[in-house]
């Protein structure tokens, strides 16, 4: 399935509108930058700017595949991006990955200060659950199911647990299963939950959810392998964040365990597996196929 | 209303059982300490130990006053304590209040490390919303209303905003209204929400909610004035946290603005006002009256 076939390009044509919806939802959720305390509210907005918003696009793509109206997944797309943004702000702190650059700009604690960095991350996490609790487009049961899924994906058994394992694994050589388990939690869980949230919005069948989750798991792992590859081969200007960090921090990566070429092949195989899963979804698979292509071709 | 009158002592008699319920709910929510990543899960449990659990007791007292079964507010009591615990762990970090002692023991980042401190706080916040989303004792609409109330109380317009204002106010002399506004957010919002959560569990009337909220606001402000007084007059061993910090950090406090004796009188007047509000609640006010007495008499 190529990016230029007419039916596939249809989702690509709608991407700007989806990103606009994301921006509007996020903007409406947060108090204006001039709201007291101003510095905090400015920094909250700063932390939400930039980024590729791949997770939000996955929510919209999965929602389209299942025939869900965009209103029903705006909150989910926004919530997942807010959890992602909070995790970046906290992971960049000096006590964590100590990074000065994110999305091509100074990290929050560099642009403001460390205390603001901690508080902005805290507030963004709160906003994520607020987005889901306050949307008017879902029934209460769906909101609760989404909040439950998001807490599971982002908590100590998901994203936060993965970050703890990542910190503890510096200077260790992990086995491939250990590395995959680390990333299934650190980045995979939040990518997987994008599919689960769309499934909840659609009240999808068990079979559909399973196919969609398989797609999400493959994309999540492929994405991380690709991240490791890009960290090794791309430059800082292209990435918008510090390149070559894994090596500098003595982290096990997919290229370090498999070799660069093998790592690339593994990622490609996973993207193919994701496409196969997408075609098994009883719906309109094109948005998910387009997204797999789009992520596969990213340079940062 | 004295602590020794038989009807009032009834709530006091039930306090140990309520604290046991809180412990059970919190324990069931978190993975066992031996769950991978172990260090994170140990630290999560460490952060939940100790403390007076006044906020949970307020949820139970307000629930009893409104005739709500304890099962219906277990999750709320647990969630409020988890938000409180997360805020303490993050506030104690070096970039924030930089404190080594909490609840009579080393703070999380001293007992473990700073990265674990950040991640434990993050995970505890997630758990708070998980507690509300996963309880089986409430209908979905009540869960959503509780989550919404808790995000409002704890986010950038509530607790996190108050902490940001507090950090920015070091070395400044605030006016009394500024100091009250700071604390209405930093500590008041989370105390107030204990009453709101009980009201939601009870599907209480507007009039009842208003009286209950007035009680919560008075207790919240009185509590903070008392905190400032205790910080000035008590020793570190009694407090279980570093005493005399406000002066050392050049913070405006109620005693510094009003004088010690006037501050005490203001707190006492607020406790009286809270008791009056409690008596206006169409229900059984005794648990709330007992709690006002109990907080008023605390030494730490």
């Amino acid at each position: 399935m190529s990016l230029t076939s007419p039916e596939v390009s249809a989702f690509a044509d709608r991407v700007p509108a989806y990103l606009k919806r994301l921006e509007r939802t996020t903007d409406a959720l947060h108090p204006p930058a001039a709201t007291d305390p101003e510095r905090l509210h400015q920094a909250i907005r700063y932390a939400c700017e930039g980024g590729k918003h791949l997770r939000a696009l996955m929510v919209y793509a999965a929602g389209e595949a299942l025939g869900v109206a965009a209103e029903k997944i705006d909150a989910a797309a926004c919530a997942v991006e807010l959890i992602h943004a909070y995790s970046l702000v906290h992971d960049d702190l000096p006590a964590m990955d100590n990074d000065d650059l994110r999305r091509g700009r100074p990290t929050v604690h560099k642009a403001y200060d460390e205390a603001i960095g901690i508080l902005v991350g805290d507030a963004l996490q709160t906003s994520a659950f607020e987005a889901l609790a306050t949307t008017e487009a879902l029934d209460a049961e769906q909101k609760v199911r989404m909040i439950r899924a998001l807490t599971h994906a982002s908590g100590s058994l998901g994203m936060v647990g993965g970050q703890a394992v990542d910190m503890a694994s510096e200077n260790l050589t992990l086995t491939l299963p250990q590395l995959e388990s680390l990333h299934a939690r650190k980045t995979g869980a939040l990518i997987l939950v994008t599919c689960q949230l769309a499934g909840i919005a659609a009240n999808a069948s068990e079979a559909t959810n399973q196919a969609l989750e398989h797609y999400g798991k493959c994309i999540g792992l492929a994405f991380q392998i690709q991240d490791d590859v890009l960290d090794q081969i791309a430059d800082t200007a292209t990435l918008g964040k510090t390149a070559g960090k894994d090596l500098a921090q003595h982290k096990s990566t997919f290229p370090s365990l498999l070799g660069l070429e093998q790592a690339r092949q593994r990622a490609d195989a996973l993207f193919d597996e994701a496409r196969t899963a997408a075609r098994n979804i009883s719906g309109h698979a094109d948005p998910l196929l387009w997204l797999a292509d789009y992520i596969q071709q990213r340079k940062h």
Side-chain angles (χ1 to χ4, degrees), chain A:
Chain A
M1 186 72 63
S2 113
L3 275 174
T4 51
S5 83
E7 64 192 323
V8 175
S9 70
F11 184 80
D13 291 345
R14 288 187 290 280
V15 163
Y18 283 132
L19 293 177
K20 194 80 205 156
R21 295 186 77 97
L22 173 68
E23 196 185 326
R24 267 203 306 269
T25 311
T26 312
D27 181 65
L29 193 64
H30 292 129
T35 309
D36 177 48
E38 277 186 41
R39 207 146 168 277
L40 177 69
H41 287 113
Q42 279 168 17
I44 284 172
R45 288 176 173 269
Y46 180 87
C48 294
E49 289 163 13
K52 299 177 291 295
H53 303 309
L54 289 178
R55 289 157 190 79
L57 290 179
M58 279 192 70
V59 174
Y60 285 118
E64 236 189 58
L66 301 182
V68 181
E71 305 83 88
K72 287 191 181 289
I73 44 174
D74 284 334
C78 174
V80 170
E81 286 294 333
L82 289 170
I83 294 286
H84 179 54
Y86 117 64
S87 77
L88 297 181
V89 175
H90 280 185
D91 289 1
D92 286 337
L93 286 168
M96 301 268 272
D97 292 347
N98 191 22
D99 222 321
D100 296 351
L101 196 66
R102 172 66 67 182
R103 295 173 171 173
R105 303 193 304 175
T107 47
V108 173
H109 69 274
K110 293 302 280 186
Y112 294 84
D113 59 52
E114 240 184 283
I116 288 286
I118 295 166
L119 294 172
V120 163
D122 291 344
L124 291 176
Q125 180 178 180
T126 315
S127 298
F129 295 110
E130 188 184 0
L132 292 173
T134 54
T135 178
E136 289 173 6
L138 299 169
D139 61 45
E141 190 56 53
Q142 287 174 314
K143 294 181 198 183
V144 168
R145 287 177 64 201
M146 285 193 184
I147 291 165
R148 205 157 48 203
L150 194 59
T151 60
H152 188 75
S154 61
S156 72
L157 296 175
M159 185 186 75
V160 164
Q163 174 66 7
V165 175
D166 195 30
M167 301 285 305
S169 302
E170 285 179 22
N171 302 310
L172 296 180
T173 302
L174 302 183
T175 64
L176 191 59
Q178 285 173 329
L179 188 65
E180 289 194 2
S181 162
L182 185 171
H183 287 301
R185 287 174 277 179
K186 190 182 171 188
T187 55
L190 201 60
I191 291 177
L192 173 59
V193 86
T194 63
C195 295
Q196 294 169 331
L197 296 177
I200 293 167
N203 293 318
S205 72
E206 189 54 31
T208 298
N209 282 332
Q210 277 181 15
L212 199 53
E213 288 188 12
H214 190 63
Y215 171 89
K217 279 181 192 165
C218 292
I219 293 282
L221 184 54
F223 179 87
Q224 185 57 46
I225 296 173
Q226 205 185 19
D227 232 41
D228 286 0
V229 169
L230 290 171
D231 179 78
Q232 191 170 321
I233 64 168
D235 58 27
T236 297
T238 307
L239 287 184
K241 60 183 178 183
T242 313
K245 276 192 61 180
D246 297 331
L247 195 65
Q249 293 180 340
H250 306 283
K251 283 189 178 178
S252 292
T253 67
F254 290 98
S256 76
L257 294 188
L258 296 173
L260 195 59
E261 199 41 49
Q262 276 258 23
R264 279 177 164 146
Q265 285 173 17
R266 177 103 173 85
D268 286 343
L270 284 161
F271 281 118
D272 283 340
E273 196 175 331
R275 279 184 281 259
T276 302
R279 290 193 192 93
N280 284 333
I281 294 166
S282 59
H284 177 67
D286 296 345
L288 295 169
L289 297 173
W290 179 86
L291 201 71
D293 290 349
Y294 178 71
I295 294 175
Q296 193 169 15
Q297 290 163 29
R298 75 191 174 111
K299 298 281 175 261
H300 63 96

